[in-house]
Amino acid sequence: MAAPASPWRRLRRDWFLLMLGLPGLLLVVLFHYVPLAGNVIAFKDYRPYLTIWEAPWVGFTNFRVIYEGDPAFLNALSNTLIISLIQVVVVFPIPIALALLLNSLLSEKIKRVVQSVLYLPHFMSWVIVVALFQQMLGNAGLYNTWARVHDLPLLHIIGNSDLFLPLITSQAIWKDVGWGTIIFLAAISRVDTELFEAVAVDGGGRLRQLWHVTLPAIRSVVVLLLILRLGDVLSVGFEQIYLQQAAVGQDVSEVLDTYVYNRGILDGNFGMAAAVGLVKGVVGLALVLIANKVAHLFGERGIYSRW
Amino acid sequence: MVTLASRSRSVRRTANKPKLVNGAPAPNPVVRALKGIVLLICCAAVAIPFIGVISTSLADQDQITKAGGYVLWPSHPSFDAYAAIFRGGAVTRATLVSIGITLVGSLLSMAVVALLAYSLSRPGSFGHRPLLMLVLITMLFNAGMIPNYLLIKQLGLIDSWWALILPPVVSAFQVIIVRAFFMEVPREIIDAARIDGAGELQILTRIMLPLSKAVLAVVGLFQAVAYWSAFFNALLYINDPDKWPLSLVLRTYVVDNTAIGTDLPGEVVPPQQSLQMAILVVSLVPICLVYPFLQKHFAKGVVVGAVKG
C-alpha cells in the first residue's frame, strides 16, 4: 500500500472500515465502559426515584461495611476466600492429573471417547448442573431411592449446610475438570517426541519421561492458569451458590457476589452494594497485575508481556 | 534415530516382545487396568445423571412407581410428560422465549463480531491500535453487578428481552479469534480485489466471510449455547414471570421444587417427577445436539485464546 499517510489522509481512506466496526464498538463501550463510570454510585446515596446524577455525594460512607467490618460482610468475605482456596488446592490440580492420565493412554480411540464424555458437562449451565445434582443426590434423588430399595445407607447431602463446601467443590469438579484438561493436553501435544525418545535412550522409563519432559512442558500453562485463577479469587460462581443458598442458609453460603446481589438488587441498598463490588473489582484487577509481575520475575510468560 | 524407528517397526510385528511407546516400554497390565477403572468411573459419573434424567422423563407412570422414583432404562417409552409441558402454559412460553433469544442473539452476535473483527484486522488503518486495545482491555475487568443493573434500568430495558440479547453480543475473546482468521488471509488477495475495484464491503462478503465460514459458525454456536443457558442476566433483568426464559423456569420448577401442575393447562397432569425431568431434558438436549459440532472446534479456540489473550 501507500507510504505512511497523515492521520487525516488515513481517516479519509479508512472511514468506511471504521463504520463497519462501529456497531460492535458502540456495544463494547455501552456495556463495558459506561457501567464502569456507573461505579460513581458507590460514592453516592442512590435512591430509585433519583437519577444517578441527582443522588447526593456521600464520600466513603458506603464503604463503611468494609472498613468497619460489618459481620455479614466479613462472613461473605471469609466464605469467598475459603471456597476460592479449596478450588485452587483441590480443584485446580485435578485437570492436570487427568490430562497426564489421558495423555498416557495408548489407544487414540479410547482417549477420544473419554474426552467427548468428560467435556460435555462444561456446556451445561449451573441451573442444569445444580438440578442434576439434586436429582441424583437429593434426599429423594436417584441414589437414595435406589439405596432405600437395597437397604443401603442413605445420603443427606443436598440442603445439608455441613456438607455445602464438599458439595459445591464436587459440582465444580464434575462440571469443569474435563474441560480443564484441554489446555494441558494441547501443551503436551506440542512436545517434540524426540525428547521422550532421548530420555528412553538414556535409560529412563515412563516416569522419568513424565518428570523431565511432560511436566516442564506444561509448567508455563500451569503458571498462566494460576495467575488467571488468582485474579478471580474474590469471585466464586454466583449462579452455583445463589441457586443453592435457600437450602443451606447464608451463614455457610453467602459469598461476595451473592452479598452484592442480596443487599443491592433485593434490599435496594445500591450504593453500599456497588461499593463492595467496586472494591472487589479493583482488588481482583490488582491481583492479576501483581501475579503477572511475579510470573515475569520467575521467568515465565504470564498473560501479557508488555503493557 | 534410524535404528530406533526400524526397531519399533519390527516390535509391532512380533507380539511377544514388549511394545515401545516413545521409546520406553509400555506400562504393565496392572497399571493399565487401574487407568481403565479410573476413567470408567469418571465417565460413569458424567453419563449416569444424563441417562437417569432422560430415561425417567420417558418412563411411564407404572414403571416410575415400581422403581420408586427413577428409571435408568424406560421399558415402555412415553411422551406424556412432554405433551403436558408443551400443551401451552409456563414451560411452552419459556421455551419459545429461549428459542427466540438464542436465534436473534447468536445471529446478531455473528454479524457484529464479524464486522468488528474485520475493521480491526488491518494494521496501519486509522486508530487501529487504540481501538484494538479498547476491545481487548475489556477482558481484564468487569464493571460489576450493580452498575450493570443500573445501566439496563436507565436504558429502560428491565423486563425487556433486549436486556438478555444485547449485553453479550460482543466479547473480546470472539473478536480475537475471528480477527486472527481474517488476518491469515493473504494480503495479496485483498490488494488484488481492491485493484479490481472491490470496496470494503465486497472484500468482506466475497473474500473474508467465505474463507472463514467455519470460525463464524463456531462463534455462533458458542453464543447460541450461552444465550440458551443465560441465567444471571435473566435473574437480574426479567422480573415478569410471563417473560421468563427457560433457565428461570427450570430454577423455579426443578431446583426450587415449586409445584407445577397449576401452571399447565389440561386435566390429566403427569406426576411432578416426570414433568421436572422433562423440563430438565428440554433445557439440556439442545446443548447435547450442538455439542458434537462444538467439540470439533473448541480445542483450537481455547488454545488461540490462551496464546493471544
Side-chain angles (χ1 to χ4, degrees):
Chain A
M1 289 297 283
S6 72
W8 177 241
R9 291 266 272 308
R10 284 194 298 156
L11 181 58
R12 278 190 51 175
R13 185 190 69 198
D14 296 329
W15 71 272
F16 190 71
L17 193 66
L18 291 169
M19 290 301 292
L20 292 179
L22 197 61
L25 287 176
L26 286 179
L27 285 171
V28 167
V29 170
L30 180 61
F31 290 111
H32 289 276
Y33 289 94
V34 172
L36 215 52
N39 274 307
V40 292
I41 70 145
F43 305 96
K44 289 189 157 202
D45 184 16
Y46 178 80
R47 298 285 157 79
Y49 52 84
L50 296 175
T51 67
I52 293 177
W53 312 116
E54 289 163 355
W57 292 96
V58 290
F60 281 88
T61 319
N62 286 324
F63 293 81
R64 221 168 33 206
V65 283
I66 300 173
Y67 61 77
E68 285 180 2
D70 171 51
F73 168 77
L74 290 180
N75 177 46
L77 180 64
S78 80
N79 282 339
T80 307
L81 292 176
I82 290 170
I83 295 173
S84 270
L85 183 71
I86 290 179
Q87 295 205 333
V88 172
V89 175
V90 179
V91 182
F92 187 82
I94 298 180
I96 303 177
L98 191 58
L100 295 176
L101 178 56
L102 283 171
N103 184 58
S104 74
L105 291 183
L106 299 185
S107 156
E108 279 297 318
K109 212 173 179 181
I110 294 177
K111 189 170 148 189
R112 262 202 303 277
V113 171
V114 173
Q115 282 174 305
S116 301
V117 174
L118 296 187
Y119 293 163
L120 179 62
H122 171 78
F123 293 94
M124 299 294 151
S125 63
W126 274 115
V127 197
I128 292 179
V129 174
V130 169
L132 284 175
F133 265 75
Q134 281 187 358
Q135 300 297 341
M136 293 304 113
L137 302 175
N139 294 342
L142 187 140
Y143 173 79
N144 278 345
T145 358
W146 182 76
R148 240 174 239 124
V149 174
H150 295 86
D151 276 328
L152 288 164
L154 300 183
L155 295 176
H156 295 286
I157 298 172
I158 310 286
N160 182 342
S161 51
D162 294 334
L163 292 178
F164 185 66
L165 277 180
L167 174 67
I168 58 169
T169 308
S170 51
Q171 287 168 341
I173 293 174
W174 188 84
K175 187 174 192 285
D176 275 327
V177 157
W179 178 258
T181 61
I182 292 179
I183 198 156
F184 298 115
L185 286 172
I188 296 172
S189 74
R190 280 198 293 265
V191 178
D192 190 345
T193 45
E194 285 188 9
L195 288 176
F196 290 109
E197 283 166 2
V199 174
V201 168
D202 289 346
R206 291 171 65 83
L207 279 176
R208 292 223 157 250
Q209 290 179 335
L210 179 73
W211 184 252
H212 291 294
V213 182
T214 316
L215 287 179
I218 61 173
R219 192 181 58 198
S220 65
V221 177
V222 171
V223 171
L224 180 80
L225 291 185
L226 266 178
I227 291 173
L228 290 173
R229 190 67 202 76
L230 199 62
D232 269 347
V233 80
L234 293 181
S235 324
V236 283
F238 170 87
E239 293 186 6
Q240 180 192 10
I241 289 170
Y242 169 79
L243 284 164
Q244 306 180 81
Q245 194 158 42
V248 293
Q250 296 192 348
D251 276 353
V252 292
S253 70
E254 187 84 312
V255 293
L256 287 178
D257 283 332
T258 57
Y259 181 83
V260 170
Y261 178 80
N262 289 328
R263 291 306 156 93
I265 309 285
L266 293 188
D267 298 351
N269 203 340
F270 287 96
M272 187 267 266
V276 173
L278 179 60
V279 170
K280 196 200 115 186
V282 170
V283 172
L285 183 59
L287 285 175
V288 175
L289 299 182
I290 293 170
N292 201 63
K293 197 88 212 162
V294 172
H296 285 313
L297 292 180
F298 281 94
E300 297 290 346
R301 262 188 51 222
I303 309 171
Y304 50 84
S305 44
R306 196 168 52 86
W307 202 220
Chain B
M1 276 308 115
V2 175
T3 50
L4 248 176
S6 59
R7 197 174 136 212
S8 67
R9 226 176 287 131
S10 71
V11 163
R12 223 165 284 146
R13 252 180 269 123
T14 50
N16 292 354
K17 285 186 187 158
K19 194 177 163 189
L20 291 186
V21 183
N22 284 333
N28 67 45
V30 179
V31 175
R32 287 168 74 174
L34 274 177
K35 281 182 190 171
I37 291 169
V38 170
L39 290 176
L40 203 63
I41 292 174
C42 291
C43 288
V46 169
I48 287 176
F50 289 105
I51 297 171
V53 166
I54 295 174
S55 299
T56 308
S57 78
L58 291 171
D60 60 358
Q61 189 49 41
D62 287 353
Q63 200 187 354
I64 293 180
T65 322
K66 220 176 283 169
Y70 290 85
V71 174
L72 278 179
W73 191 252
S75 49
H76 309 283
S78 99
F79 288 90
D80 289 351
Y82 294 94
I85 60 172
F86 285 131
R87 254 197 313 253
V91 186
T92 316
R93 200 167 46 224
T95 309
L96 292 176
V97 169
S98 281
I99 292 174
I101 289 173
T102 303
L103 286 180
V104 174
S106 34
L107 290 176
L108 191 65
S109 183
M110 279 161 76
V112 174
V113 166
L115 287 172
L116 181 56
Y118 179 62
S119 89
L120 293 176
S121 69
R122 199 160 317 148
S125 65
F126 182 83
H128 176 259
R129 280 193 67 82
L131 291 177
L132 187 60
M133 274 296 146
L134 185 81
V135 175
L136 293 192
I137 290 175
T138 60
M139 293 216 282
L140 277 183
F141 66 86
N142 179 353
M145 185 190 305
I146 302 292
N148 283 330
Y149 175 81
L150 293 177
L151 173 70
I152 295 292
K153 206 174 153 208
Q154 296 274 326
L155 293 172
L157 293 180
I158 296 290
D159 274 340
S160 158
W161 291 319
W162 290 109
L164 306 184
I165 294 172
L166 290 179
V169 161
V170 187
S171 78
F173 183 65
Q174 293 159 348
V175 174
I176 292 173
I177 291 179
V178 178
R179 179 178 172 270
F181 263 77
F182 285 167
M183 291 185 75
E184 274 172 25
V185 174
R187 189 71 202 226
E188 291 75 21
I189 299 184
I190 301 169
D191 287 344
R194 187 162 292 125
I195 290 166
D196 288 346
E200 297 292 359
L201 211 53
Q202 275 166 314
I203 294 176
L204 178 63
T205 53
R206 300 270 176 82
I207 299 172
M208 296 303 208
L209 293 185
L211 285 176
S212 28
K213 262 185 292 192
V215 70
L216 281 173
V218 174
V219 165
L221 281 179
F222 269 94
Q223 282 294 75
V225 170
Y227 277 113
W228 180 260
S229 352
F231 175 78
F232 181 64
N233 284 353
L235 179 74
L236 280 179
Y237 308 139
I238 310 289
N239 302 319
D240 179 0
D242 286 344
K243 294 187 171 168
W244 276 356
L246 198 55
S247 57
L248 287 186
V249 164
L250 180 64
R251 191 265 318 244
T252 306
Y253 294 121
V254 182
V255 177
D256 291 352
N257 218 353
T258 310
I260 188 178
T262 53
D263 295 324
L264 293 177
E267 313 245 306
V268 189
V269 174
Q272 178 91 357
Q273 182 91 349
S274 326
L275 292 175
Q276 287 184 334
M277 297 295 169
I279 299 173
L280 193 46
V281 171
V282 171
S283 314
L284 60 81
V285 156
I287 300 176
C288 296
L289 289 182
V290 297
Y291 174 68
F293 300 98
L294 290 177
Q295 209 210 338
K296 270 204 287 190
H297 298 280
F298 58 52
K300 210 187 286 170
V302 169
V303 177
V304 170
V307 173
K308 310 237 164 150

